[in-house]
Amino acid sequence: MTVDKLAMHSPDLTQRNIDAIAELFPAAVTETLDANGRPVRAVDFDLLRQELSDHIVEGPQERYQLDWPGKRAAAFAANTPIAKTLRPMREESVDFDTTKNLFIEGDNLDALKLLQESYLAKVKLIYIDPPYNTGNDEFVYPDDYSEGAEEHLVRSGQVNDAGERLRSNPDSNGRHHSDWLSMMWPRVQLARNLLASDGFLVAAINDREHGNLRLLLDQTFGAQNFIADVVWQGGRKNDAQFLSPSTDYMLIYARDMAALDAVRWREPKPGVDSILKAGRAAWEAAGHDPEAASRRLRQWWASLPSDDPRRGSQHYNQVDGEDGRPGEVFFGDNMRKPAPTSTSRYDIIHPVTGKPVNMHPNGWAYAPENMKRLLAEGRVKFGPDETTRPTMKRYLDETSTQTVMPTFYADRRSASNRLAQLLGESIFDYPKDEQVLARWISLVTENDPEALVLDFFAGSGSTGHAVMDLNARDGGQRRYILVQLGEPIEHTSYATIADVSRERLRRSARKGSEDAGLVAANLDVGFRALRVDTTNMADTNMTADALGQGELLDAINSVKPDRTDEDLLFQVLLDWGLDLSSPIIAETIAGRTVFAVAEDALIACFTEDVSDHILRAIADRRPLRAVFRDSGFASDAARINAEQIFRELSPETEVKAI
């Protein structure tokens, strides 16, 4: 066993793709030399084309695809590894040591790359509300990591000649749509990797980029995984010239439609309990006369306002009698067969006249044995005589859920008002509506109460708010990961949008806990705040002659001097692909701090002087993984001694150094 070094950078997704190709077409994978003359695996595209010669469209021939200037560079941006990390922000967190929620401040492309190992195929729902590219919103993110921030701002046109920051992507920009697509594509590619096989992506968008986003997601997820294009009507705007521009959309895609055969999205019918109560009241008031009770129930339906959500169930307008389920509300469903079969035509005898009832030419929808059972159970409603066709009683209490309609109305101003009341000031005109989000999160996670929800355009934090509210209502333990750029904002008491989002989570958590009472005693209302930053590791790749005399000793220690042991721990969690919300316990062994993660799934010790006593104490606990600071070993002999101790006491432990 040897103490190897951790990579300490995000995964190389290009190599992961080559591995996938190698599994399918091993002959197409070869070796070549990289820029440093080292052998690496690569794809022989000529052989790959030969393998796919029956399907691929070669060269400049026309093909169906979404294309734009900068598409290749955007694809490259998704796969390029970065030397960055996530650093904990304890002072900004709530319940840092116990919470399972994460809030990440930084560029979401960086964050998505850093999350690839820890959350690969673990996310149940990704909800995003990306910039709508109206010409006034900001969305340009620095995707070129070979240059510094200032150089990028100048190159990408985000600052003017005076060095002032530009914050929009105006229509006059010749790459107006191309820039937006180049920003979106690498992010949705990386996001797709994080979805579980039975996961979903929901992307909100307006008219301006709706068509482009639909094509982009078709290309990323596959058109066969498209589920719905939901229309959200958000209120009327009377100053519009033609039509009210108040419609938004939610594009919904599955990660893998083949994994969803057993999934059925249903939601409760509004006001079922009150409808059933109205039926029973009508039954009593009518003296147990089913016909009179049905008339009273229809009068009750007519008294409801036209916009009452219960009106969607107003076809349930009959009340059953003593021969069935007295006082129960139902509607009479047609029992005709759509097309005649050999068993669909047979006589049903009217219970009063004793004559066969009027039968549809196609016959009955149920086989004779099933019809006999329904008659015995009182599930068939007959007319006054045989001339009226009977119907099937569909009871409301047996169908209290309904399919989800791809259109809905929710006034966006109500979300703005609720957020302003929560924060004490108006900051955003149209924040995401946490109540609307809770509805969709509930649908997706109905059978997964511990689902992980990701939003990498977090904005004001509506998604986290929705997750907490939903957990408070139904006792679920859903978790969230939010990512938001620390974008400066003006004319508020907050410095950045990330500050607004974190404060919203704090206040909504307090309010949710108060409102929930004892409904959700174990409600997780915290979040572990992290921020994207440069790697913890110092640049020690310089040659000896490039180092100054004072820099030579500094190069011995590969960790930057301003980084804490907890900073190092989180970079190790990323590199080893461990959950960033794993419980962490700081312990003291021989006067040195040691971190135990997830019940000894990992033990980390970053002291500068690793003693045999510390090594043996850690090895005795037989952790799955152990990590030390490389400079903590006084010599090569000390490092070899560490290997020997673990080989003797805990040979199954994977030992690494940074």
Side-chain angles (χ1 to χ4, degrees):
M1 180 181 68
T2 58
V3 181
D4 298 323
K5 281 203 168 188
L6 287 164
M8 308 303 277
H9 58 67
S10 69
D12 188 337
L13 299 183
T14 298
Q15 288 302 314
R16 180 183 290 173
N17 292 337
I18 292 175
D19 291 341
I21 291 173
E23 289 185 14
L24 294 174
F25 309 107
V29 177
T30 183
E31 290 187 358
T32 186
L33 299 178
D34 65 10
N36 298 316
R38 294 172 297 194
V40 294
R41 291 206 305 172
V43 176
D44 186 328
F45 287 100
D46 289 334
L47 281 175
L48 184 59
R49 289 189 183 95
Q50 182 176 331
E51 295 272 12
L52 301 174
S53 59
D54 288 341
H55 306 285
I56 196 167
V57 180
E58 303 260 12
Q61 298 180 37
E62 293 178 347
R63 68 194 74 178
Y64 177 74
Q65 65 175 0
L66 175 64
D67 212 350
W68 68 90
K71 182 178 180 181
R72 292 182 181 178
F76 181 77
N79 292 329
T80 305
I82 55 171
K84 295 197 175 186
T85 189
L86 294 175
R87 298 179 66 187
M89 305 166 66
R90 275 189 172 268
E91 70 283 358
E92 295 287 352
S93 304
V94 176
D95 299 334
F96 184 94
D97 292 320
T98 58
T99 183
K100 295 293 185 181
N101 302 313
L102 299 178
F103 183 93
I104 300 172
E105 178 178 339
D107 183 349
N108 53 18
L109 184 61
D110 286 347
L112 288 168
K113 289 185 177 186
L114 292 170
L115 296 175
Q116 289 295 301
E117 293 292 337
S118 295
Y119 296 97
L120 181 68
K122 293 181 180 178
V123 176
K124 185 60 175 283
L125 171 65
I126 295 176
Y127 179 91
I128 56 172
D129 190 358
Y132 284 2
N133 203 17
T134 61
N136 299 314
D137 51 0
E138 181 179 4
F139 66 80
V140 181
Y141 288 73
D143 292 344
D144 185 347
Y145 298 99
S146 64
E147 61 186 353
E150 295 302 321
E151 291 86 348
H152 171 78
L153 291 175
V154 173
R155 179 189 61 78
S156 61
Q158 295 181 71
V159 295
N160 60 18
D161 294 338
E164 298 170 331
R165 182 75 178 270
L166 302 179
R167 299 192 49 163
S168 63
N169 183 44
D171 289 333
S172 58
N173 174 15
R175 291 174 48 92
H176 179 73
H177 295 290
S178 296
D179 283 347
W180 189 87
L181 286 167
S182 291
M183 182 275 294
M184 286 296 298
W185 198 32
R187 289 164 174 82
V188 296
Q189 281 185 301
L190 292 167
R192 179 179 176 272
N193 297 338
L194 301 179
L195 278 177
S197 60
D198 61 345
F200 300 87
L201 176 132
V202 178
I205 198 67
N206 72 348
D207 287 319
R208 186 174 293 265
E209 295 292 354
H210 172 265
N212 281 334
L213 183 58
R214 171 75 185 269
L215 291 173
L216 186 71
L217 294 176
D218 276 350
Q219 186 164 316
T220 305
F221 284 81
Q224 73 277 8
N225 290 313
F226 169 76
I227 290 179
D229 189 351
V230 176
V231 179
W232 177 351
Q233 181 63 38
R236 188 183 302 275
K237 296 183 179 180
N238 285 324
D239 59 350
Q241 182 179 1
F242 299 110
L243 299 176
S244 176
S246 55
T247 300
D248 283 348
Y249 307 89
M250 292 196 298
L251 294 165
I252 304 179
Y253 283 77
R255 175 62 178 84
D256 182 4
M257 192 70 82
L260 304 177
D261 288 344
V263 175
R264 295 291 183 272
W265 283 0
R266 296 291 185 272
E267 61 183 357
K269 290 178 179 176
V272 167
D273 289 342
S274 65
I275 300 170
L276 295 174
K277 183 178 179 181
R280 288 190 291 271
W283 171 254
E284 295 297 334
H288 295 188
D289 180 344
E291 296 303 325
S294 297
R295 288 194 295 271
R296 286 179 174 271
L297 180 60
R298 286 191 283 272
Q299 291 171 358
W300 178 82
W301 277 119
S303 71
L304 296 179
S306 59
D307 60 348
D308 192 304
R310 291 173 293 184
R311 276 192 169 272
S313 299
Q314 61 184 321
H315 54 291
Y316 287 91
N317 57 13
Q318 299 184 61
V319 179
D320 207 357
E322 295 290 358
D323 59 337
R325 293 164 54 176
E328 293 293 329
V329 176
F330 72 94
F331 85 92
D333 196 3
N334 198 320
M335 294 197 299
R336 72 179 181 87
K337 190 77 168 178
T341 66
S342 59
T343 61
S344 65
R345 294 182 55 82
Y346 53 88
D347 287 339
I348 297 178
I349 304 302
H350 193 281
V352 176
T353 67
K355 297 179 180 180
V357 298
N358 181 16
M359 180 175 58
H360 189 275
N362 291 344
W364 306 112
Y366 303 97
E369 60 274 15
N370 290 333
M371 182 64 76
K372 184 177 180 180
R373 175 180 54 81
L374 294 173
L375 288 167
E377 294 174 353
R379 299 297 296 259
V380 179
K381 178 176 173 58
F382 290 91
D385 56 43
E386 71 278 0
T387 62
T388 304
R389 288 178 186 151
T391 56
M392 169 70 175
K393 297 177 183 178
R394 300 287 185 187
Y395 292 103
L396 178 59
D397 63 350
E398 294 177 344
T399 56
S400 58
T401 62
Q402 60 190 2
T403 56
V404 183
M405 295 294 288
T407 60
F408 70 94
Y409 173 84
D411 193 331
R412 294 180 185 82
R413 291 170 296 186
S414 58
S416 303
N417 294 336
R418 289 195 301 272
L419 182 60
Q421 291 175 1
L422 183 67
L423 296 179
E425 59 180 302
S426 179
I427 300 175
F428 300 111
D429 292 333
Y430 297 107
K432 288 178 285 190
D433 191 318
E434 77 281 0
Q435 295 181 358
V436 170
L437 295 189
R439 176 197 183 198
W440 293 97
I441 295 170
S442 177
L443 285 169
V444 174
T445 65
E446 180 180 7
N447 298 317
D448 189 0
E450 297 182 1
L452 178 59
V453 180
L454 168 65
D455 182 351
F456 53 89
F457 287 102
S460 68
S462 301
T463 300
H465 188 168
V467 168
M468 287 189 290
D469 279 359
L470 190 57
N471 285 341
R473 291 204 303 267
D474 65 11
Q477 296 180 345
R478 302 168 188 85
R479 302 182 293 150
Y480 65 75
I481 299 177
L482 305 186
V483 184
Q484 175 56 44
L485 192 68
E487 181 65 31
I489 52 176
E490 301 172 348
H491 311 301
T492 79
S493 59
Y494 299 93
T496 69
I497 296 177
D499 290 333
V500 174
S501 188
R502 285 189 292 260
E503 183 60 21
R504 178 190 190 158
L505 295 174
R506 296 185 190 103
R507 297 193 183 195
S508 61
R510 289 195 293 269
K511 185 176 185 304
S513 296
E514 295 166 0
D515 294 345
L518 298 177
V519 174
N522 61 342
L523 182 63
D524 183 355
V525 295
F527 60 89
R528 187 172 280 182
L530 309 168
R531 73 172 182 270
V532 177
D533 207 335
T534 58
T535 178
N536 294 313
M537 315 314 292
D539 183 3
T540 58
N541 292 326
M542 291 182 289
T543 59
D545 58 349
L547 289 169
Q549 186 173 1
E551 298 172 317
L552 193 57
L553 290 177
D554 293 337
I556 297 174
N557 191 341
S558 60
V559 177
K560 292 177 179 176
D562 65 332
R563 303 304 166 94
T564 67
D565 286 356
E566 202 164 58
D567 290 333
L568 298 180
L569 176 63
F570 273 83
Q571 187 154 358
V572 169
L573 294 179
L574 287 170
D575 201 73
W576 240 318
L578 299 178
D579 192 320
L580 298 179
S581 65
S582 299
I584 301 170
I585 299 176
E587 305 176 15
T588 301
I589 298 178
R592 303 293 185 266
T593 299
V594 172
F595 296 99
V597 180
E599 298 181 348
D600 290 357
L602 165 69
I603 294 182
C605 179
F606 300 117
T607 181
E608 290 285 4
D609 52 342
V610 181
S611 66
D612 285 0
H613 178 65
I614 294 175
L615 289 169
R616 289 187 177 276
I618 293 174
D620 280 339
R621 291 168 59 163
R622 306 175 73 88
L624 294 178
R625 308 169 187 86
V627 64
F628 303 91
R629 189 188 294 236
D630 190 50
S631 59
F633 298 108
S635 63
D636 289 341
R639 191 177 293 104
I640 294 171
N641 182 54
E643 296 169 4
Q644 181 60 37
I645 289 174
F646 274 92
R647 187 180 294 113
E648 173 190 340
L649 299 178
S650 183
E652 68 277 10
T653 299
E654 186 178 0
V655 184
K656 297 278 188 179
I658 62 170

